Amino acid sequence: MTTQIDRRLEELGLTLPQAAAPVASYVPVVEAGGLLHVSGQLPFQGGAVVTGRLGEDTSLEEGQEAARACALMVVAQVKAALGGDLSRVARIVKLGVFVNSTPDFTDQPKVANGASDLMVALFGEAGRHARAAVGVAALPLGAAVEVDAIVALA
């Protein structure tokens, strides 16, 4: 099934990755009360996790690209959970963006824009969301960024 979101991905020259399997004891998506709760997704590029620490060995632009890769994986998880039907997405409610960063790095919101901007590009007004952008000392597998989401269903 090709949806408006699938067409928008194509227009942007983007391909959704294969939804990643969990790396620990959890499920990637839980549906409850008309909402999808998407577990934290890591940034994959070329089949590998994008690693690094903002403020140390990773630039702001690299962090934004990592956040965008996380957001693509969030969409891939949503699509898998919905049997391929992204037209059921009514709204991206909230993103949680975790940035592997040094204590003096304070541009977490700018890094998070990589994920936020993609959601708006794909879902339009329904992609505008609440958000938290948080600096953390470390992330799983040394990832530069991790993004989780809450998505409302139609």
Side-chain angles (χ1 to χ4, degrees):
M1 164 183 290
T2 301
T3 66
Q4 179 180 345
I5 304 308
D6 293 308
R7 286 189 293 279
R8 188 69 185 129
L9 281 162
E10 188 176 319
E11 289 169 7
L12 293 170
L14 299 172
T15 303
L16 286 182
Q18 180 70 31
V23 297
S25 297
Y26 62 92
V27 294
V29 180
V30 171
E31 182 176 349
L35 298 173
L36 292 182
H37 296 264
V38 183
S39 295
Q41 300 299 307
L42 301 181
F44 284 90
Q45 291 179 338
V49 174
V50 176
T51 60
R53 194 164 197 212
L54 281 287
E56 185 175 278
D57 59 4
T58 303
S59 71
L60 175 60
E61 294 76 19
E62 290 168 326
Q64 290 169 329
E65 281 302 310
R68 181 179 172 113
C70 291
L72 277 174
M73 187 60 77
V74 165
V75 176
Q77 293 290 3
V78 168
K79 186 172 184 173
L82 297 177
D85 187 5
L86 287 172
S87 69
R88 290 189 55 207
V89 173
R91 176 112 198 201
I92 306 301
V93 176
K94 184 172 183 186
L95 296 182
V97 182
F98 305 90
V99 181
N100 185 352
S101 54
T102 60
D104 60 334
F105 183 82
T106 59
D107 282 335
Q108 289 84 1
K110 291 180 183 176
V111 172
N113 285 344
S116 293
D117 292 347
L118 179 67
M119 292 304 183
V120 174
L122 291 178
F123 296 96
E125 273 306 304
R128 294 195 186 282
H129 52 270
R131 183 181 82 186
V134 180
V136 297
L139 287 169
L141 306 178
V145 181
E146 181 175 351
V147 176
D148 67 7
I150 300 172
V151 177
L153 300 177

